[in-house]
């Protein structure tokens, strides 16, 4: 067996054998019921090699301070609940291993994602984010009668928009975008990614309407290709590329 | 406190809830209440596929699918329901495709299909390609597609609202409502997580689609939020739960973590090997080997480990070997699960086998319903205006063991039926007055829990419950282990009465939320163990080492479990001698009963693969 | 003490919806004008700094001589306009990206557009009304054709 396998065994029986280390987590707290000033709070914990940032947050909540508030659900990077800012980068807490954050080089800084109103601790108001998503008509638009069986689509046509079907609406991309931070009016990468998913779907007939919507002053043209979104995406979607493809589709439409 | 009135209220916004919403919202004024944003639901974690006998790649028909489902469920499946599911599967898949779901395609451009555990051609001859899929994120695509269509139809959502009570016009908990009397659901009480405010929803029809209860176990593929809320609410309000002893353990969870690696990995050619490198499934299921139903594979794996043939330094897991597959093929068909192995275990599946061990995955049991998703309050009477669909419900299409992909099918087929039935009922029904201060019970409970100055910690009780369930009520069970589990849970129930939360605020009090969830979990764990103790046979996902054989003469019935007050008479529920057990506790008693299994075409046979 | 925060799920409304192609043309212009400006500017630099004696021969006579030719008039006019529109549009997007308040945005943009108009008008005027042979100027400073 390789050395890596040694860490994978049950933590209960093997606690001694798994490499453990000290981690300092610095969390930005905000509890509007107590104070309208956010503050920083530091916790030092003993964690293990397979532990993720979410495990550390749980450890704080379950063993030290029950008031620490954050969203989470599936805990393996598919539900999109726990996008937070870790050491200045947007990440899913459940997909970021503590050992990858160099815990020996100073505290791990945990903050809510930027650009959306903070409601409590790490929880932000997602409504503006979902509102932009809803605006781009994120559903298949077709005309005429439904076919009696499935619509035909070749594997290549299917592959054309495969990348953008991976989106889990976690808002890591949108809230990493400097343009979005300013006034929150920009549609944001996530909305454009989801528009892309339909614009390039051979079965869809609503591309023109979606392109029209994203041609807005706050639409794709505000993208400055900083690639923050691509870097932040926990699903590995090439977000900036998708935005560029939507831009190109708009130019093609105009000529 | 706020008051709302809707024709149909759907509790839960996962696959079943949103599928129901799509049907109900076109016919009736509908609201969906969910404790999570809809796209956070655990439907999204389903990976492998959704079976339907489309016969796009090879000969297949719905009757074979029905047979596989019945056999897979160890003949505890209600065969009329399984037949409906297998028949309507075809339309369910086509519906989703028309809604925009990006299924993988055949060279002709039709929906592609692949093999999946327990799905066979011609009654067990060989594995058949029946699972329609979108890479290894089929559930994700289903959830997204359903949400997209909810946006299209402008379905009204109450996101991050937690339903804490179901209002019914009779008090069923005492068990003294005579059979045949009409009982009607009239509303729900919900708690707004963001503000701590109570909302009352008066409604003509309620659809429960709250999902499963995997968090009663420690090693589980389930989300932190899958805490059996709907099941426990029903139980507390005097409704029965059916077949709670049957819990599915998915064979391939990442060892130690429980994160799911889809059966699709084996469907695409992955092989399970023990510590000696042997393909051990050849011994347990010579015909379909690694693609045997999940209960069999999980038990075989646990057995290999128990008999000392496990892998790793402690010999406590087995290996899922994908190394003989082309990396390009893995990337195309299984991108997400290989990433899980890389992210969480640092294993490269192209070159190294992945350590796996069974993980608690799916509750076959739940709130008993008819084939139209109406909730039953005893083996024959329905509660008017109350529906359930998805994992929270027990139709029962899964019997003693669910086949892979049939859960995605279940939510689509029965979600749709529930939505339709609820809307149709709402059209004919009128609003029933709610009792005075219907919210009072919830408010009292919440306030007591929130303001209790000090006491037991939620996480301690939860951890101990999960540990005892893992140790004593998992893949292998005995009278002794289950008795131990029950004793532990009773102690924990008693400690739960003194539980206290640190967060005393009203806004987004997730500390309080976890405390409430723990209460539900304990109730579900308790009835799971009680039902498991009573079933002295082995069937499907329920394996009793002290009774290793199936006993059709005594136990070919669904278990029904009721919670009753200490003094209540229990005579009415007991119809079958094998299911006549009553557990007396200080504050309530748990009463078992039986419900007949519906058999149409298939006589129970020995289950061999 | 309680802080005032908005209702967490208050309906969100985009402030203004625009449906013109302005931003698209702006985006395309930046790329098109960028390419042309590279040619114009390097051409300008080459002719002024490299050809012949290079930078040493630049004087009133050299400039006067160039602007007597319609070719160089058009060259410099194009360079002026493209550079100014390109630059102004660039600063406009920067203001949009970084100014958080409406008022700040408006003030900065008024300043920007005023500077743009002033520079472009003056520059255009100079290119077309430049007198290469002013009266009473010493002859050694004037172009040869005077």
């Amino acid at each position: 067996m390789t050395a890596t396998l040694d860490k994978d065994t049950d933590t209960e029986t093997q606690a001694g054998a798994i490499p453990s280390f000290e981690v300092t987590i610095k969390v930005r707290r905000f509890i509007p019921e107590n104070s309208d000033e956010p503050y920083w709070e530091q916790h030092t914990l003993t964690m293990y090699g397979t532990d993720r940032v979410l495990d550390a947050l749980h450890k704080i909540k379950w063993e030290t301070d029950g008031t620490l508030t954050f969203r989470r659900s599936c805990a393996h990077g598919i539900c999109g609940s726990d996008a937070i800012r870790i050491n200045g980068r947007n990440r899913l807490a459940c997909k970021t291993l503590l050992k990858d954050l160099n815990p020996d080089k100073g505290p791990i800084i945990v903050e809510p994602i930027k650009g959306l109103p903070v409601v409590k601790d790490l929880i932000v108001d997602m409504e503006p984010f979902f509102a932009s998503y809803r605006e781009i008509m994120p559903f298949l638009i077709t005309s005429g009668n439904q076919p009696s069986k499935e619509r035909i689509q070749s594997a290549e046509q299917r592959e054309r928009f495969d990348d953008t079907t991976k989106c889990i609406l976690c808002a890591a991309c949108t809230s990493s975008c400097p343009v979005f931070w300013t006034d929150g009016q920009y549609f944001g990468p996530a909305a454009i990614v989801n528009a892309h998913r339909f614009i390039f779907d051979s079965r869809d007939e609503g591309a023109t309407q979606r392109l029209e919507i994203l041609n807005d002053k706050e639409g794709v043209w505000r993208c400055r290709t900083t690639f923050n979104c691509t870097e932040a995406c926990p699903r590995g979607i090439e977000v900036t590329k998708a935005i560029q493809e939507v831009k190109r589709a708009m130019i093609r439409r105009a000529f | 406190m706020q008051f709302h009135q809707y024709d149909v209220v759907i509790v839960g916004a996962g696959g079943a809830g949103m599928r129901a919403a799509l049907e109900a919202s076109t016919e009736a004024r509908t609201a969906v209440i969910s404790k999570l944003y809809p796209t956070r639901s655990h439907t999204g974690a389903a990976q492998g596929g959704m079976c339907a006998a489309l016969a796009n790649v090879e000969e297949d028909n719905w009757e074979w699918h029905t047979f596989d489902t019945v056999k897979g469920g160890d003949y505890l499946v209600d065969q009329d329901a399984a037949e409906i599911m297998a028949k309507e599967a075809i339309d369910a898949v086509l519906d989703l495709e028309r809604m925009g779901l990006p299924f993988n395609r055949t060279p002709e451009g039709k929906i592609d299909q692949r093999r999946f555990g327990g799905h066979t051609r011609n009654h067990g001859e060989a594995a058949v390609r029946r699972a329609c899929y979108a890479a290894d994120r089929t559930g994700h695509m289903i959830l997204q597609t359903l949400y997209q269509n909810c946006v299209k139809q402008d379905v009204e959502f109450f996101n991050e609202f937690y339903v804490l009570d179901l209002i019914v016009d009779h008090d069923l908990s005492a068990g003294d409502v005579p059979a045949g009397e009409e009982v009607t659901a009239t509303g729900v009480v919900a708690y707004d997580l963001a503000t701590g405010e109570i909302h009352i929803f008066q409604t003509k029809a309620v659809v429960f689609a709250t999902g499963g209860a995997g968090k009663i176990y420690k090693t589980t593929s389930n989300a932190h939020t899958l805490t059996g809320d709907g099941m426990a609410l029903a139980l507390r309000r005097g409704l029965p739960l059916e077949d709670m002893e049957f819990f599915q353990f998915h064979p391939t969870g990442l060892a130690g973590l429980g994160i799911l690696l889809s059966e699709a990995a084996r469907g695409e050619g992955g092989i399970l090997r023990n510590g000696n490198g042997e393909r051990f499934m050849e011994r347990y299921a010579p015909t379909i080997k690694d693609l045997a139903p999940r209960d069999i594979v999980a038990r075989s794996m646990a057995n290999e480990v128990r008999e000392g043939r496990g892998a790793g330094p402690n010999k406590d897991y087995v290996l899922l070997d994908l190394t003989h597959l082309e990396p390009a093929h893995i990337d195309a068909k299984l991108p997400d699960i290989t990433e899980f192995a890389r992210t969480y275990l640092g294993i490269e599946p192209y070159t190294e086998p992945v350590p796996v061990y069974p993980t608690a995955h799916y509750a076959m049991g739940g709130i008993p319903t008819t084939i139209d998703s109406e909730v039953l309050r005893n083996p024959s009477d329905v509660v008017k205006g109350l529906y359930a669909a998805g994992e929270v419900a027990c139709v029962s299409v899964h019997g003693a063991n669910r086949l892979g992909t049939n859960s995605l099918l279940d939510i689509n087929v029965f979600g749709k039926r529930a939505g339709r039935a609820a809307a149709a009922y709402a059209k004919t029904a009128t609003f029933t007055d709610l009792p005075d201060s219907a919210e009072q019970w919830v408010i009292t409970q919440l306030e007591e829990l929130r303001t209790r100055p000090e006491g037991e910690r939620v996480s301690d009780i939860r951890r101990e419950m999960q540990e005892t369930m893992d140790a004593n009520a998992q893949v292998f069970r005995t009278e002794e282990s289950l008795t131990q589990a029950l004793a532990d849970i009773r102690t924990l129930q008693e400690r739960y009465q003194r539980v206290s939360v640190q967060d005393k605020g009203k806004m987004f009090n997730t500390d309080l939320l976890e405390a409430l969830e723990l209460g539900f979990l304990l109730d579900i764990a308790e009835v799971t163990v009680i039902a498991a103790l009573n079933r002295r046979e082995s069937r499907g996902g329920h394996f009793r080492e002290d009774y290793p054989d199936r006993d059709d003469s005594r136990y070919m019935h669904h278990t029904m479990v009721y919670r009753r007050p200490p003094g209540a008479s229990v005579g009415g529920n007991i119809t079958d001698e094998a299911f006549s057990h009553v557990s007396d506790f200080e504050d309530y008693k748990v009463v078992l009963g039986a419900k007949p299994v519906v058999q149409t075409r298939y006589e129970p046979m020995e289950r061999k693969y | 003490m309680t802080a005032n925060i908005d209702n967490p799920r208050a309906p969100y409304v985009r402030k203004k919806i625009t449906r013109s192609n302005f931003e698209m043309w702006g985006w395309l212009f930046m790329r098109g004008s960028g390419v042309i400006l590279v040619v114009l500017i390097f051409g300008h630099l080459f002719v002024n700094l490299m050809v012949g004696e290079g930078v040493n021969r630049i004087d009133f006579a050299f400039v006067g001589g160039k602007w007597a030719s319609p070719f160089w008039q058009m060259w410099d006019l194009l360079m002026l306009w493209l550079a100014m529109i390109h630059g102004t549009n660039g600063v406009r997007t920067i203001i949009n990206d970084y100014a958080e308040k409406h008022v700040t945005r408006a003030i900065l943009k008024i300043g920007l557009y005023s500077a743009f108009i002033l520079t472009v008008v003056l520059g255009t005027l100079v290119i077309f009304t430049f007198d290469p042979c002013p009266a009473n100027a010493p002859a050694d400073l004037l172009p040869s054709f005077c």
Side-chain angles (χ1 to χ4, degrees):
Chain A
M1 276 302 122
T2 59
T4 20
L5 284 184
D6 297 344
K7 294 188 233 162
D8 313 325
T9 47
D10 191 348
T11 44
E12 284 312 300
T13 54
Q14 277 292 302
I18 301 175
S20 70
F21 48 84
E22 295 274 296
V23 183
T24 305
I25 306 264
K26 202 171 157 190
V27 192
R28 190 179 160 94
R29 303 289 308 266
F30 173 59
I31 303 178
E33 285 171 295
N34 300 342
S35 155
D36 51 8
E37 283 299 315
Y39 59 97
W40 291 95
E41 195 175 79
Q42 205 152 304
H43 294 268
T44 303
L45 314 161
T46 304
M47 304 300 292
Y48 300 94
T50 53
D51 282 340
R52 300 154 275 164
V53 174
L54 181 64
D55 296 310
L57 293 176
H58 269 148
K59 202 172 168 102
I60 298 171
K61 184 173 182 67
W62 291 344
E63 292 173 18
T64 319
D65 184 356
T67 63
L68 180 65
T69 306
F70 49 91
R71 289 192 180 102
R72 87 283 184 265
S73 184
C74 78
H76 62 277
I78 189 73
C79 76
S81 301
D82 60 353
I84 53 173
R85 210 167 140 83
I86 302 168
N87 285 349
R89 286 161 189 269
N90 283 4
R91 292 287 181 267
L92 294 183
C94 60
K95 270 190 100 168
T96 311
L97 294 175
L98 289 165
K99 69 174 170 62
D100 297 340
L101 294 169
N102 299 324
D104 47 329
K105 296 216 178 99
I108 294 168
I109 296 166
V110 173
E111 305 161 79
I113 47 176
K114 279 175 77 169
L116 291 163
V118 179
V119 180
K120 182 180 179 184
D121 289 350
L122 301 175
I123 294 188
V124 297
D125 180 10
M126 295 292 284
E127 206 40 52
F129 172 80
F130 277 102
S132 288
Y133 169 75
R134 288 192 294 265
E135 268 183 273
I136 53 97
M137 303 197 292
F139 39 79
L140 195 73
I141 298 172
T142 56
S143 57
N145 281 334
Q146 299 275 16
S148 55
K149 292 202 84 185
E150 68 261 48
R151 289 193 166 77
I152 299 298
Q153 179 172 55
S154 72
E156 293 72 40
Q157 289 169 327
R158 161 74 178 71
E159 183 58 31
R160 180 69 191 84
F161 62 100
D162 182 72
D163 199 37
T164 44
T165 63
K166 294 180 197 157
C167 176
I168 53 174
L169 298 171
C170 67
C173 57
T174 295
S175 62
S176 75
C177 177
V179 177
F180 182 77
W181 292 339
T182 314
D183 59 359
Q185 289 288 302
Y186 174 40
F187 273 84
I192 300 170
V193 158
N194 280 281
H196 178 282
R197 178 247 172 277
F198 287 101
I199 291 168
F200 292 93
D201 187 333
S202 59
R203 301 167 297 173
D204 184 77
E205 295 168 27
T208 315
Q209 296 167 61
R210 287 194 196 90
L211 291 173
E212 187 70 20
I213 293 167
L214 288 176
N215 200 17
D216 189 280
K217 184 157 85 64
E218 306 293 347
V220 289
W221 306 113
R222 286 205 77 178
C223 168
R224 307 272 169 269
T225 52
T226 57
F227 283 88
N228 278 18
C229 47
T230 305
E231 195 273 338
C233 180
R235 304 281 290 156
I237 302 172
E238 293 180 278
V239 185
T240 314
K241 183 178 166 205
I243 299 174
Q244 293 304 103
E245 287 177 351
V246 173
K247 283 181 188 167
R248 216 173 298 151
M250 269 181 207
I251 293 167
R252 261 202 306 275
R253 187 179 66 115
F255 287 100
Chain B
M1 201 212 44
Q2 292 193 33
F3 182 82
H4 309 264
Q5 205 178 43
Y6 287 90
D7 292 337
V8 178
V9 165
I10 296 166
V11 185
M18 289 204 282
R19 192 67 190 81
L22 287 178
E23 296 300 322
S25 63
T26 55
E27 303 282 325
R29 218 172 99 78
T30 302
V32 183
I33 308 177
S34 169
K35 75 171 171 177
L36 303 168
Y37 271 93
T39 54
R40 312 296 182 222
S41 308
H42 212 56
T43 299
Q47 296 163 356
M50 171 167 167
C51 274
L54 296 179
N56 275 358
V57 285
E58 62 180 298
E59 189 191 353
D60 197 6
N61 65 59
W62 61 258
E63 192 271 322
W64 294 352
H65 188 181
T66 311
F67 172 79
D68 290 336
T69 303
V70 171
K71 183 181 173 190
D74 224 346
Y75 296 92
L76 200 70
V77 173
D78 283 336
Q79 296 181 9
D80 54 343
E83 188 170 317
I84 285 173
M85 184 172 78
K87 268 188 201 169
E88 295 186 4
I90 296 163
D91 270 337
V93 168
L94 294 178
D95 276 353
L96 286 170
E97 199 283 332
R98 291 182 205 128
M99 285 184 208
L101 199 144
F103 282 109
N104 278 40
R105 300 290 172 156
T106 63
E108 304 86 64
K110 295 200 261 180
I111 297 171
D112 198 11
Q113 298 183 281
R114 66 175 163 206
R115 298 188 184 97
F116 231 84
H119 290 277
T120 64
R121 49 183 278 107
N122 199 12
H123 312 108
E125 271 178 13
V128 72
R129 293 172 200 266
R130 188 180 287 149
C132 310
Y133 65 100
D136 56 356
R137 47 175 187 278
T138 316
H140 163 75
M141 291 320 315
I142 288 177
L143 190 70
Q144 295 289 329
T145 302
L146 291 175
Y147 182 62
Q148 288 158 0
N149 280 271
C150 285
V151 170
K152 186 177 184 178
Q153 291 189 18
D154 216 0
V155 172
E156 196 171 345
F157 285 98
F158 288 84
N159 294 327
E160 300 187 326
F161 274 59
Y162 194 28
V163 168
L164 287 176
D165 199 10
L166 164 72
I167 312 171
V168 182
D169 68 347
H170 287 63
D171 180 13
L172 294 171
S173 61
D176 52 6
V177 179
E181 184 150 330
E182 190 170 295
V183 177
T184 311
T186 59
V188 295
V189 180
Y191 167 78
D192 181 357
L193 287 172
T195 61
E197 205 177 359
I198 295 291
H199 292 244
I200 295 188
F201 292 79
Q202 188 185 26
T203 170
K204 295 173 184 170
V206 180
V207 180
F208 264 33
T210 56
K215 279 289 153 180
I216 57 176
Y217 291 97
K218 178 165 158 262
T219 308
T220 173
S221 64
N222 282 201
H224 285 285
T225 43
L226 281 174
T227 49
D229 311 340
M231 296 177 190
L233 277 180
L235 184 72
R236 289 177 186 183
R237 280 292 167 199
L239 290 163
L241 295 178
E242 180 178 341
D243 287 345
M244 291 305 288
E245 65 272 39
F246 297 104
F247 209 97
Q248 178 165 81
F249 295 87
H250 195 291
T252 51
L254 283 183
L257 294 170
I259 295 170
L260 187 67
L261 296 186
S262 170
E263 205 163 311
R266 283 171 284 136
E268 296 292 347
I271 290 171
L272 290 167
R273 299 189 187 280
N274 62 20
N276 309 328
E278 182 203 2
R279 184 179 190 182
F280 58 88
M281 282 312 297
E282 282 174 337
R283 275 186 277 121
Y284 297 92
T287 318
I288 55 177
K289 302 184 180 91
D290 299 280
L291 285 174
R294 289 175 179 169
D295 59 326
I296 296 176
V297 181
R299 217 152 35 233
S300 310
M301 288 166 68
N303 199 47
E304 289 298 300
V305 168
R306 205 163 53 157
E307 291 177 2
R309 293 190 293 276
N314 301 303
K315 296 185 178 294
D316 56 357
Y317 52 78
V318 299
L319 296 166
L320 176 64
D321 186 1
L322 300 173
T323 54
H324 55 291
L325 301 177
E326 279 295 316
H329 182 72
I330 296 177
D331 284 346
K333 298 293 178 69
L334 309 163
D336 279 11
I337 65 169
T338 46
E339 200 199 309
F340 290 152
R342 280 180 209 135
T343 308
Y344 297 115
L345 295 183
I347 296 244
E348 176 49 67
Y350 295 159
T351 53
E352 290 171 86
V354 185
V356 290
Y357 199 71
T359 177
H361 187 54
Y362 188 89
M364 266 74 75
I367 303 173
T369 71
T370 66
I371 49 171
D372 291 315
S373 301
E374 303 155 289
V375 170
L376 291 160
R377 67 180 175 89
N378 58 37
S380 51
D381 293 317
V382 301
V383 179
K384 291 268 180 199
L386 184 58
Y387 303 82
E391 191 172 344
V392 69
C394 178
V395 184
S396 144
V397 282
H398 307 309
N401 170 56
R402 173 175 73 77
L403 286 192
T405 77
N406 272 358
S407 60
L408 290 179
L409 202 50
D410 181 8
I411 59 174
N412 278 287
V413 169
F414 291 99
K416 182 176 177 179
R417 291 176 81 92
R420 285 199 171 169
Y425 172 77
K427 277 188 176 172
T428 62
T430 53
F431 286 106
T432 313
D433 288 338
L434 296 176
D436 290 337
S437 56
E439 74 287 3
Q440 205 46 54
W441 184 76
V442 168
I443 292 178
T444 314
Q445 272 224 319
L446 274 176
E447 283 310 295
E448 202 185 314
L449 195 52
R450 191 172 67 87
T451 54
R452 191 175 294 147
E454 58 187 24
E456 293 279 350
R457 221 177 233 288
V458 171
S459 56
D460 292 341
I461 300 179
R462 184 176 48 214
R463 193 188 57 246
E464 286 177 40
M465 170 194 69
Q466 290 171 339
E467 279 170 3
T468 187
M469 288 300 283
D470 261 23
N472 298 314
Q474 219 205 17
V475 177
F476 295 112
R477 302 163 171 183
T478 64
E479 190 86 20
E480 196 191 350
S481 74
L482 290 167
T483 310
Q484 180 61 47
L486 184 58
D488 291 345
I489 290 165
R490 285 310 304 166
T491 316
L492 295 171
Q493 283 277 30
E494 192 250 322
R495 282 170 61 189
Y496 180 73
Q497 299 308 314
R498 300 190 301 274
V499 82
S500 137
V501 296
Q502 280 176 294
D503 194 341
K504 307 290 183 197
K506 294 217 158 189
M507 289 179 61
F508 272 111
N509 190 337
T510 51
D511 207 16
L512 180 63
L513 176 71
E514 287 189 26
L516 292 164
E517 289 174 335
L518 175 61
F520 293 141
L521 283 172
L522 284 167
D523 287 354
I524 298 303
E526 184 174 276
V527 294
T528 300
V529 172
I530 291 173
L533 265 170
N534 185 65
R535 190 175 281 275
R536 292 183 178 84
E537 63 156 354
S538 292
R539 184 189 294 273
H542 171 69
F543 189 83
R544 287 283 299 259
E545 289 186 272
D546 37 3
Y547 302 94
D549 299 316
R550 200 171 83 189
D551 181 357
D552 286 347
S553 62
R554 278 168 66 79
Y555 292 106
M556 184 51 105
H557 292 283
H558 299 292
T559 306
M560 299 285 263
V561 39
Y562 306 80
R563 185 191 271 199
R564 296 289 178 240
S569 131
V570 293
N573 297 308
I574 293 168
T575 47
D576 191 284
E577 192 218 331
F579 295 88
S580 60
H581 182 80
V582 178
S583 309
D584 272 305
F585 303 128
E586 268 169 38
D587 33 0
Y588 52 83
K589 57 173 94 179
V590 174
V591 181
L592 296 187
K595 179 172 164 259
V597 176
V598 180
Q599 277 180 24
T600 54
R601 295 165 187 260
Y602 310 107
E603 280 297 310
M605 297 183 301
E606 197 196 346
R607 192 157 152 262
K608 263 191 180 164
Y609 285 94
Chain C
M1 183 164 60
T2 334
N4 277 333
I5 60 157
D6 295 334
N7 177 358
R9 277 185 288 265
Y12 169 89
V13 185
R14 190 171 301 287
K15 282 185 195 125
K16 206 165 108 198
I17 292 168
T18 54
R19 292 286 186 266
S20 77
N21 279 334
F22 181 76
E23 293 293 334
M24 185 185 80
W25 291 121
W27 190 89
L28 278 172
F29 173 80
M30 294 303 270
R31 274 124 195 101
S33 61
V35 173
I36 299 172
L37 277 169
V38 167
V39 176
L40 290 176
I41 291 169
F42 279 100
H44 170 84
L45 290 175
F46 181 74
V47 169
N48 282 20
L49 306 178
M50 312 287 284
V51 178
E53 299 160 51
V55 71
N56 295 322
R57 79 196 155 106
I58 296 182
D59 55 8
F60 184 86
F62 177 78
V63 176
K66 261 182 94 179
W67 279 349
S69 139
F71 174 79
W72 286 112
Q73 272 186 328
M74 288 317 293
W75 184 288
D76 284 8
L77 182 77
L78 205 58
M79 196 159 69
L80 171 73
W81 279 69
L82 286 181
M84 283 309 291
I85 303 175
H86 187 99
T88 306
N89 193 40
V91 177
R92 181 184 73 91
T93 53
I94 291 174
I95 294 172
N96 279 342
D97 284 357
Y98 289 94
E100 295 186 17
K101 287 192 200 127
H102 251 7
V103 189
T104 334
R105 227 175 247 191
I107 293 170
L108 287 172
K109 280 187 189 172
I110 289 170
L112 174 70
Y113 296 150
S114 313
F116 169 80
I117 291 167
L118 190 75
T119 318
V120 167
V121 169
L122 274 181
T124 312
L125 215 62
V126 168
I127 292 172
F128 286 111
T129 60
F130 189 76
D131 180 2
C133 310
N136 308 322
D140 62 328
L141 293 179
L142 293 177
S144 54
F145 54 78
C146 283

